[in-house]
Amino acid sequence: MKTKVIPYGRQHITEEDIEAVSKALTEDYLTQGPKIAEFEKAFAAYVGADYAIAVSNGTAALHLCALALGVQPGDKVITSPITFAASANCIRYCGGEVVFADIEPDTYLLDINSVEDLLKKAPKGTYKGIVPVDFAGRAVNMEAFRELADAHGLWIIEDSCHAPGGYFMDSKGMPQNCGNGAFADLAIFSFHPVKHIASGEGGMITTNNPELYENLMQLRTHGILKDENRYVNSIEFAGGIDKYPSWYMEMQQLGFNYRITDFQCALGLSQLKRAAQGLEKRKDIAKKYFTAFEGLPFIKGQSGVVDGHAYHLYVIEVHDRLGLYEYLREQGVFAQIHYIPCHLMPYYRAFGWKEGDLPYSENYYRHCISLPMYPTLSDEDQEYVIGKILKHAKGTDN
């Protein structure tokens, strides 16, 4: 009998998605066309931000944010080690120095007290910014980070790749959507296939700052400007008339080709239409996991049921992580580990980071495992996953 194959994440492509992409492929534009602006407008409305800039992927979004905020060689920026490496690497792309702060052991999010300790121990101006991460879909309290950042003159990039549709409750009891620009200078999202909204590859930057928005639009396309009202140079034509022909443009700064295609945005738009339903399904799956594992001795911790959690991942912490991981794979359940702490990667070890520097992050890594979590996960398959975990814990499965 063939063993089930249940991945930790999976894209969901519908007939409507296929139709949307097929239609885009028959239009006049494959790239730099109308679907990009349409997707940007719809996504900005979804998270509640003033502006959105679609780019080629989440890493490009992070890099552009670092560029737009003026990260220079030697600038120190604080982030979490429990994240995909791109959250830190974007600072290194600009020559900045990454400083990792520890996580809260209960939420797995960047610990604001750990960040504050770093800031208090350094002369004012030592640090330039903070990159908090809405890890696994749980929203960072960006209001608290904004207050801390303002007190020290720092900017904030919110890495919301895991959390479209997520939110936290502010000090007035109001929900604040991840990436809405109310507290972070810039926020970024990813449309990788295992994310809430999939476009193959792709990313989005959101902001409420018009100056940053305009700069990002340039940086996305080689630093080139096509706006006759803002050109710096002029060209003299026959007859002594200064005029800008339709082909004229100016490269005003060193930018990149981080554009996204129209057919990717068509797919993103189609997926965005059912994002709310997908999020509700993720919450239902999380509730079932939490109920199944609540109070069991082999569970050290789990994502749990949390208001505003977007549940890109459902994480449990167990004593025998390696044993469970290998056993589940034997049973066709391809759970995953998120993440090896960035500061223990060989690249960052070369800067002096070592085991013992961030004990909560390292302890989390020793025990964490991400369970299957995607909207098309069936009740039957989730029960299969839960059953195998319980049997492994009891040592009764042969």
Side-chain angles (χ1 to χ4, degrees):
M1 181 177 178
K2 188 176 180 180
T3 303
K4 281 180 176 284
V5 175
I6 305 175
Y8 90 89
R10 172 180 280 158
Q11 71 269 22
H12 179 210
I13 303 297
T14 66
E15 288 299 321
E16 290 79 9
D17 292 338
I18 295 169
E19 183 180 345
V21 173
S22 297
K23 187 174 186 301
L25 289 171
T26 65
E27 300 293 340
D28 292 336
Y29 295 91
L30 289 183
T31 188
Q32 300 185 80
K35 285 297 176 186
I36 297 171
E38 189 179 342
F39 186 31
E40 290 170 337
K41 183 178 179 180
F43 192 85
Y46 179 64
V47 301
D50 291 344
Y51 306 100
I53 304 98
V55 296
S56 53
N57 53 62
T59 300
L62 283 162
H63 185 197
L64 290 178
C65 287
L67 288 168
L69 290 167
V71 176
Q72 298 292 320
D75 286 353
K76 290 188 175 183
V77 177
I78 301 169
T79 193
S80 170
I82 302 301
T83 183
F84 187 62
S87 306
N89 293 350
C90 64
I91 305 305
R92 292 294 305 138
Y93 296 156
C94 299
E97 181 180 340
V98 178
V99 179
F100 297 104
D102 216 343
I103 63 167
E104 297 174 346
D106 296 330
T107 67
Y108 315 145
L109 301 178
L110 183 65
D111 182 2
I112 194 168
N113 294 314
S114 180
V115 174
E116 188 171 19
D117 286 344
L118 287 171
L119 295 174
K120 285 181 176 179
K121 292 175 182 177
K124 194 172 181 66
T126 298
Y127 293 94
K128 303 299 182 182
I130 313 172
V131 185
V133 179
D134 298 317
F135 174 69
R138 185 162 186 163
V140 171
N141 184 331
M142 295 305 302
E143 183 179 28
F145 270 97
R146 181 76 269 166
E147 291 176 2
L148 179 64
D150 286 347
H152 293 270
L154 310 180
W155 48 254
I156 297 176
I157 301 171
E158 180 183 5
D159 186 336
S160 290
C161 282
H162 291 182
Y167 65 86
F168 74 95
M169 304 302 290
D170 68 15
S171 59
K172 297 179 181 178
M174 299 295 294
Q176 296 288 343
N177 292 341
C178 296
N180 71 357
F183 302 105
D185 298 273
L186 297 165
I188 68 101
F189 297 85
S190 168
F191 305 129
H192 183 274
V194 297
K195 299 298 197 301
H196 292 62
I197 298 164
S199 63
E201 290 285 356
M204 193 75 78
I205 305 167
T206 57
T207 185
N208 290 348
N209 185 309
E211 289 78 20
L212 286 174
Y213 169 72
E214 291 183 8
N215 193 21
L216 286 161
M217 292 292 282
Q218 271 192 46
L219 288 168
R220 177 179 68 177
T221 310
H222 303 284
I224 288 174
L225 179 68
K226 286 191 172 185
D227 182 352
E228 64 183 27
N229 296 315
R230 297 183 58 201
Y231 289 142
V232 175
N233 301 308
S234 64
I235 301 176
E236 185 173 277
F237 292 93
I241 299 173
D242 290 337
K243 179 182 177 183
Y244 293 102
S246 60
W247 46 258
Y248 187 71
M249 52 77 174
E250 291 181 2
M251 179 181 162
Q252 296 192 335
Q253 59 181 316
L254 183 62
F256 295 81
N257 181 359
Y258 282 162
R259 297 183 301 239
I260 192 171
T261 65
D262 262 46
F263 54 89
Q264 285 176 292
C265 287
L267 177 56
L269 272 165
S270 182
Q271 296 243 319
L272 183 58
K273 291 176 182 177
R274 63 175 189 278
Q277 298 95 305
L279 184 56
E280 289 305 310
K281 177 61 176 176
R282 288 174 182 271
K283 291 177 180 178
D284 289 341
I285 293 169
K287 289 176 184 176
K288 290 176 184 176
Y289 279 139
F290 177 71
T291 300
F293 303 134
E294 185 179 16
L296 298 180
F298 71 94
I299 298 289
K300 287 175 56 62
Q302 58 174 324
S303 291
V305 177
V306 179
D307 287 344
H309 203 307
Y311 293 107
H312 168 57
L313 305 173
Y314 194 90
V315 179
I316 61 173
E317 294 177 84
V318 297
H319 294 282
D320 182 21
R321 193 268 303 278
L322 180 59
L324 177 60
Y325 176 83
E326 292 181 338
Y327 173 76
L328 287 176
R329 290 179 74 85
E330 291 170 1
Q331 304 303 312
V333 179
F334 287 79
Q336 188 55 276
I337 308 303
H338 298 94
Y339 293 97
I340 300 171
C342 288
H343 73 288
L344 298 183
M345 293 291 188
Y347 176 82
Y348 285 104
R349 282 180 182 263
F351 292 94
W353 293 97
K354 61 186 183 305
E355 290 183 41
D357 285 341
L358 302 170
Y360 288 126
S361 299
E362 293 164 28
N363 184 64
Y364 162 81
Y365 167 64
R366 283 191 286 268
H367 301 287
C368 68
I369 184 168
S370 300
L371 304 183
M373 169 59 79
Y374 46 92
T376 56
L377 181 68
S378 67
D379 292 342
E380 178 187 353
D381 282 353
Q382 188 178 12
E383 289 300 327
Y384 178 85
V385 173
I386 290 169
K388 292 300 179 183
I389 292 171
L390 295 176
K391 287 182 179 179
H392 175 75
K394 295 176 181 177
T396 58
D397 192 287
N398 295 318

